[in-house]
Structure formats: structure tokens, C-alpha cells
Amino acid sequence: MAVLLAEPVRAKPWLWPRRWVDQEPLLERQHDGLEANLAELLWLHGPMQPAWTAAEALAIERGCRRLIWDLRLHLRLEERWLSAQGCLCPGHRGVHLQAVNDAKAALLETSGDRQARLRWLLALQSWFTNHRHGPDATAYGIARSNASVR
């Protein structure tokens, strides 16, 4: 079984877009990449998958850690750019912080327990999808509106 976790979507820091109209597509591509990584990890943890070799288990563990790292970096960048547009409320930032802290704790708690890890990944996927299409969509719409008035 191959572990094909894709590289995250990143811009080179010196080439980061300066305007919201250019920032939003990068954030959306990052959302898509995180969703794809989550889907792959869920598939790998699924009940139809055979037992992993030690090397596969290690690669999948690294993939889960990388997912949290990439999520954390994405949320920080999103907060930075939404804040610059004047539409990041403290509650949104707090939800991000809580999500990252919960994910880090769950990663440690589910280590070595494939079924528990699957449940955690499903919960993370649910949170991420709801957040992307709820609070993020609202904030992105406000940022779009704020950027068009400037």
C-alpha cells in the first residue's frame, strides 16, 4: 500500500500576494489541499484497508502530523490576511486556536489506535468542512466586500 500524501499548497513568502483578490484563491487552494489530505488519511484508516507494515504505519503517522502542521500554518496565514481586511473577529481566531489544540491532543491520544484515529480524522473532517463553509465563507465574503471598497 503506497502512502501518497501530497505536498501542501504554499506560496513562496517573498511572492505572497498583497491583495485579497489574489490571497483568497491561495487560501482556497490550501483548503482543497487540506481536504484532500484528510480524505486520503481517512481512506488509509478505513476498515477495508489491510494491516499496515511498520514502515507504512510510520509514514501514515507522519502524514497525520503533517496535516496538523499544515492546518496550523494555513489558519495562521488566513488569520493574518483576514485581519488585514478588517474582518477577523476574536471568536474566529479562538475557534482556530481551539481546533489546533484539540487536533494536537487527539493526535497524541489516538497514536497506535487505528479506530480511534479514524474517529478523530472523521471529526476533524467534519469540523473543517463546516468551518470552511460557515465562518470562513462569511469572513471571506466580508473581506471581498471590504477589498472592493478600498
Side-chain angles (χ1 to χ4, degrees), residues 43-132:
W43 179 78
L44 290 168
H45 283 80
M48 300 306 289
Q49 297 301 316
W52 304 323
T53 66
E56 289 170 336
L58 185 58
I60 291 168
E61 181 68 21
R62 276 195 302 261
C64 289
R65 290 178 183 278
R66 183 59 182 254
L67 174 69
I68 293 174
W69 178 263
D70 291 341
L71 175 64
R72 185 172 106 354
L73 290 177
H74 165 74
L75 294 176
R76 286 177 59 197
L77 183 61
E78 180 179 85
E79 289 172 5
R80 178 179 173 184
W81 286 347
L82 287 175
S83 183
Q85 292 302 320
C87 57
L88 178 70
C89 72
H92 195 155
R93 186 184 306 266
V95 168
H96 285 179
L97 180 62
Q98 186 66 49
V100 170
N101 288 338
D102 289 350
K104 288 193 280 189
L107 180 74
L108 295 175
E109 291 167 7
T110 62
S111 182
D113 184 344
R114 188 168 164 168
Q115 294 306 312
R117 181 64 57 89
L118 176 62
R119 287 189 300 275
W120 165 64
L121 288 168
L122 285 167
L124 182 60
Q125 182 185 48
S126 176
W127 174 84
F128 188 75
T129 300
N130 290 333
H131 187 76
R132 179 180 187 181

Side-chain angles (χ1 to χ4, degrees), residues 18-24 84-87 139-150:
R18 303 284 183 223
R19 300 175 310 140
W20 179 256
V21 68
D22 302 316
Q23 293 168 342
E24 185 177 8
Q85 292 302 320
C87 57
Y140 284 27
I142 294 169
R144 220 175 294 119
S145 175
N146 289 351
S148 68
V149 208
R150 291 181 185 174

Side-chain angles (χ1 to χ4, degrees), residues 24-63:
E24 185 177 8
L26 175 62
L27 292 173
E28 290 295 354
R29 285 194 313 274
Q30 288 180 338
H31 280 146
D32 293 341
L34 287 164
E35 283 181 351
N37 284 350
L38 258 169
E40 183 174 8
L41 286 167
L42 283 164
W43 179 78
L44 290 168
H45 283 80
M48 300 306 289
Q49 297 301 316
W52 304 323
T53 66
E56 289 170 336
L58 185 58
I60 291 168
E61 181 68 21
R62 276 195 302 261

